[in-house]
Amino acid sequence: MTAATDFSSTQAAQLTAGAKAALITVFVGALCLAFEGSAPWLVKWPAAWELPATEWIGTFLDWFLNSIKPAMRLFSDLMTYPMDAANYVLGNTPWPILIGLVTALGWYLGGLPMAALGFIGLSFVLASGYWAESMNTLALVAVSVPVALIVGGAIGILANEVPRVKSLVQAVLDVMQTVPTFAYLTPLLLLFGFGPVVGLIASAIYAAPPMARNVMLGLERVESDIKEAAIMSGGTRFQQLFQVEIPAAATQIMVGVNQCLMAALSMVIIAAVIGGFNDIGWEVLLTMRKAQFGEAMMAGLVIVVFAVVIDRMSGTLATERKRYDPRVVWAVLGITALFTAVVWSGLPDPSEITLLNPIAGAMDSGLTAFTQANGPWLDALKNNSMFYVLLPLRIGLDQAVLPFTWGFQWTPGMSYGLFAAGIVIAALMAWRGHLTGGLVVLILIGMLETGIANLPWPFVLIGAAALGWVAGGWRLAALSVGLLCTILFSGLWERALLSLYLSGAAVFSCAVAGGLIGLASAVWAPVWKVVRPICDMLQTIPLFVFLIPVLMVFQIGEFSAFLAICAYAIVPMIRYTRHGLVNTPDEMMEAAISSGATEWQIMRDVRAPYAAPTILLGLNQTILYAFAMLVIAALIGTTGLGQSIYLALGQADVGLGISAGAAMAILALIADRMVQGFAEERRKALGL
């Protein structure tokens, strides 16, 4: 009796928090499956239990927006003046002058390489035939960025000066960065109407949070000695802030300026959806709708060129203090002015310079030839990925395995066999001391058999609560369940699961592929030399441009959307994995080497465990990137919340747009908090 009691107590002691959470989740899932036939409400939330939250939100926002519309229209009218001025200056300045200015600035900031980047980049824009449209885009960025810098800087300073509002500001910034951009385009459309100004305001709203965060971070990191010296000198609080602390935080603040510029530029195509004026974003949209993929790619490359040039120059301004000989700057400007004066009468109109038009035509014809020559295997790749991977994940094996897809019909006996195999695997893993892992395998098998879009709502709620409890305690568990219940009652549950399915599949693919590429980059330096410029390029490409190549090859469809999400979201996983693996402390490496460990043992037992918190942060960023891209991908074939947001924009349905955007933000926020919780747990375990 005593031995049995001792054995039971030992087993209970070995039951970790993860094992308990997994056991509860398995039990709830089994109950839902057992009572699926007699209690269908356990599987699908009854429509009668839904609340008309979308209508309530729409009614309230219609009233609120109409009440402030006069003031907003006045603000819109005022913003037309700087917008028109920027358009006039950039549109009427001779193109050699602008190219010379950018080249001279490049030399001053980064020497010959940066000057060459500016000259070649602007020359490419000129040769593309999109010079006028590009100047309109730059005018939008030139006006929206100062607005975003002022607003974001003021918010950051406010949060620093008034600690009571800091947590509120951080929560608002979290919401602004997780709510999809399309969601708040609908209320902006009602407030400001169509036109370039509404695109300008949308860009400013999207670009303000990075500035606010970096101002807050920079002011937090100012050394206490510097602050004490400012106080001891007798300066007022205003003088301390603007003459001491802000200059001391200038490097971090300039990083915010860089991110603000990139965010505003990434919005130009999205803003074109409601702005609709003759800018480069509108050209991308127009050529994509006409299936002119060569022209669309050329216009997209113009945006990429702007992104690369702006990113490199503003990044250098933020991180490097070295400045190059200003005499060369004046020489470049003088030569440019002289050249412009000499050839003024014969200076060609930039709209007539279409040197790259043949390349765009060749891209179209080459794409046609490629798809015709390789159509069978491209279709096979797309169809096999859909029928054997994506479709089973979405609707489950029992609905996806059919004679016309897999060649046979899925039967209940196969389901029982699959679950029996899962139980055997879980039992074997538990016997070997991996109870939590075995239960997780059983849960994953159940999700695969059922399909993510068909998961019972009690299973999802309990699973989220269990995961939140393991990651961050009961507060995170309660927060996760409470936020998910708002989606459940709003009637957006099925669409949320569809979004969860596609983003989850993309995140898993990015985690595997990005982790392996990051591992290879950490182990072999030549691999990183190849991967790094590709990552740099992918991080500077605006979201919309990712749609063009997948549309060119695979046309509209869910598989194309999946590829676009993966292409955008994989970079953080690669970078963080490599960064974590190559920054293992030297003393740990020396201890492992002196103990006689092999390279594989060092990687498995030393470098990987130490890098785990960093890798988890990369996974966190990958999740947020995937959700950000999900709405953009709705343009080429996704379903779920992204499609609802895009439809709401077309129908000017504020309630649906805000509700669906909030639901997507909730999913992203829960995932963000859980991954951060696991990362913090790993840091504590490592004593960091």
Side-chain angles (χ1 to χ4, degrees):
M1 187 71 175
T2 306
T5 305
D6 291 343
F7 178 77
S8 301
S9 62
T10 302
Q11 291 295 101
Q14 291 177 350
L15 204 60
T16 62
K20 293 176 183 177
L23 272 174
I24 294 171
T25 306
V26 169
F27 178 72
V28 172
L31 283 180
C32 291
L33 287 175
F35 292 101
E36 181 179 3
S38 58
W41 57 269
L42 275 175
V43 178
K44 186 176 181 180
W45 182 262
W49 296 1
E50 295 174 359
L51 298 175
T54 299
E55 289 78 4
W56 292 347
I57 293 172
T59 302
F60 169 75
L61 286 177
D62 282 339
W63 166 80
F64 177 72
L65 295 176
N66 284 323
S67 65
I68 65 172
K69 184 181 290 186
M72 293 298 101
R73 288 297 171 96
L74 176 61
F75 177 74
S76 176
D77 293 339
L78 292 176
M79 291 303 296
T80 57
Y81 293 106
M83 188 74 185
D84 291 342
N87 273 322
Y88 179 81
V89 171
L90 289 172
N92 290 281
T93 301
W95 54 264
I97 297 293
L98 289 175
I99 294 176
L101 284 171
V102 173
T103 304
L105 179 62
W107 168 268
Y108 180 67
L109 295 177
L112 183 60
M114 194 73 72
L117 175 66
F119 178 79
I120 295 172
L122 269 291
S123 298
F124 174 85
V125 174
L126 178 67
S128 70
Y130 290 117
W131 183 265
E133 293 83 358
S134 301
M135 293 304 103
N136 289 336
T137 296
L138 280 186
L140 186 147
V141 173
V143 180
S144 64
V145 166
V147 174
L149 293 178
I150 293 170
V151 173
I155 292 172
I157 292 173
L158 175 66
N160 181 74
E161 294 300 297
V162 186
R164 288 178 297 177
V165 304
K166 187 173 184 178
S167 58
L168 176 62
V169 168
Q170 288 178 329
V172 171
L173 293 177
D174 286 342
V175 171
M176 289 180 68
Q177 290 194 302
T178 51
V179 171
T181 51
F182 270 109
Y184 57 74
L185 292 186
T186 308
L188 290 179
L189 189 63
L190 293 179
L191 281 176
F192 301 104
F194 283 96
V197 172
V198 67
L200 182 154
I201 295 169
S203 298
I205 292 174
Y206 184 69
M211 184 62 188
R213 287 191 184 279
N214 280 279
V215 169
M216 292 167 60
L217 184 62
L219 292 176
E220 284 175 1
R221 290 182 175 179
V222 174
E223 297 289 340
S224 57
D225 294 345
I226 296 177
K227 295 180 180 179
E228 290 172 3
I231 295 172
M232 295 295 292
S233 67
T236 64
R237 180 57 196 150
F238 184 87
Q239 291 172 325
Q240 294 170 24
L241 180 64
F242 286 94
Q243 296 181 14
V244 178
E245 294 181 19
I246 289 179
T251 299
Q252 189 66 47
I253 292 173
M254 288 306 299
V255 172
V257 174
N258 169 265
Q259 294 184 7
C260 184
L261 280 163
M262 298 305 295
L265 191 60
S266 71
M267 275 291 291
V268 296
I269 307 181
I270 299 173
V273 174
I274 56 173
F277 74 114
N278 188 31
D279 68 341
I280 197 66
W282 181 250
E283 287 297 322
V284 173
L285 277 179
L286 194 62
T287 49
M288 281 178 61
R289 288 170 179 170
K290 294 179 179 178
Q292 297 172 338
F293 293 117
E295 290 80 356
M297 180 59 74
M298 190 62 65
L301 287 175
V302 169
I303 299 178
V304 173
V305 166
F306 276 133
V308 171
V309 172
I310 291 174
D311 178 55
R312 294 295 182 271
M313 289 190 178
S314 60
T316 302
L317 189 64
T319 57
E320 295 184 14
R321 297 297 181 191
K322 182 180 179 181
R323 298 293 177 257
Y324 289 77
D325 193 344
R327 291 175 296 180
V328 177
V329 173
W330 292 111
V332 171
L333 294 178
I335 293 171
T336 302
L338 180 62
F339 171 79
T340 306
V342 170
V343 301
W344 178 261
S345 59
L347 198 65
D349 190 298
S351 61
E352 298 174 356
I353 303 175
T354 55
L355 300 178
L356 298 182
N357 273 6
I359 296 179
M363 289 173 65
D364 260 333
S365 58
L367 171 66
T368 302
F370 175 79
T371 53
Q372 288 176 350
N374 301 280
W377 77 264
L378 289 175
D379 288 340
L381 174 63
K382 180 170 68 173
N383 293 334
N384 289 335
S385 300
M386 282 298 303
F387 291 145
Y388 298 114
V389 181
L390 294 179
L391 200 59
L393 282 176
R394 186 174 71 181
I395 61 177
L397 290 172
D398 56 348
Q399 294 186 48
V401 179
L402 299 171
F404 78 94
T405 55
W406 288 53
F408 61 90
Q409 180 71 48
W410 189 268
T411 63
M414 293 178 182
S415 296
Y416 297 142
L418 182 64
F419 282 120
I423 292 171
V424 171
I425 293 172
L428 287 174
M429 293 182 70
W431 182 65
R432 294 178 63 87
H434 302 290
L435 176 60
T436 304
L439 292 172
V440 169
V441 168
L442 188 57
I443 291 170
L444 293 176
I445 287 175
M447 293 174 63
L448 179 61
E449 198 276 339
T450 305
I452 295 175
N454 296 325
L455 290 175
W457 59 267
F459 172 81
V460 177
L461 292 181
I462 296 300
L467 202 58
W469 178 60
V470 175
W474 67 268
R475 290 180 182 274
L476 182 56
L479 176 67
S480 301
V481 173
L483 291 176
L484 287 176
C485 283
T486 61
I487 302 176
L488 194 62
F489 281 102
S490 68
L492 296 172
W493 185 257
E494 293 183 6
R495 283 173 270 189
L497 289 183
L498 286 171
S499 297
L500 192 62
Y501 132 74
L502 189 59
S503 57
V507 167
F508 177 78
S509 301
C510 290
V512 174
L516 291 175
I517 295 172
L519 173 63
S521 300
V523 174
W524 297 294
V527 175
W528 180 235
K529 289 182 179 179
V530 175
V531 171
R532 184 177 182 179
I534 297 174
C535 289
D536 290 343
M537 181 190 69
L538 290 175
Q539 280 197 307
T540 52
I541 296 176
L543 279 72
F544 227 99
V545 180
F546 283 94
L547 303 183
I548 300 173
V550 294
L551 270 179
M552 290 170 66
V553 179
F554 294 104
Q555 307 305 315
I556 290 176
E558 202 166 83
F559 181 66
S560 298
F562 168 78
L563 290 180
I565 295 171
C566 289
Y568 180 66
I570 196 172
V571 174
M573 199 67 208
I574 297 173
R575 286 190 179 279
Y576 280 81
T577 299
R578 179 195 171 274
H579 179 75
L581 292 174
V582 300
N583 284 281
T584 308
D586 293 337
E587 58 271 18
M588 294 179 66
M589 294 292 295
E590 290 171 2
I593 293 171
S594 61
S595 67
T598 64
E599 286 290 333
W600 166 247
Q601 289 172 327
I602 292 173
M603 178 63 70
R604 183 190 63 191
D605 300 329
V606 179
R607 295 173 71 177
Y610 187 84
T614 305
I615 295 173
L616 283 172
L617 289 178
L619 179 63
N620 171 274
Q621 291 298 302
T622 295
I623 292 170
L624 295 180
Y625 276 40
F627 275 106
M629 190 67 187
L630 193 61
V631 183
I632 310 300
L635 295 173
I636 60 172
T638 65
T639 53
L641 294 173
Q643 185 186 54
S644 298
I645 294 170
Y646 185 66
L647 292 176
L649 179 62
Q651 300 164 2
D653 188 342
V654 183
L656 178 59
I658 295 298
S659 299
M664 188 169 286
I666 285 172
L667 295 178
L669 189 65
I670 291 173
D672 172 63
R673 293 296 183 267
M674 286 184 179
V675 175
Q676 284 192 26
F678 283 116
E680 183 62 28
E681 181 187 1
R682 290 301 307 158
R683 279 194 293 267
K684 289 180 180 178
L686 292 168
L688 299 177

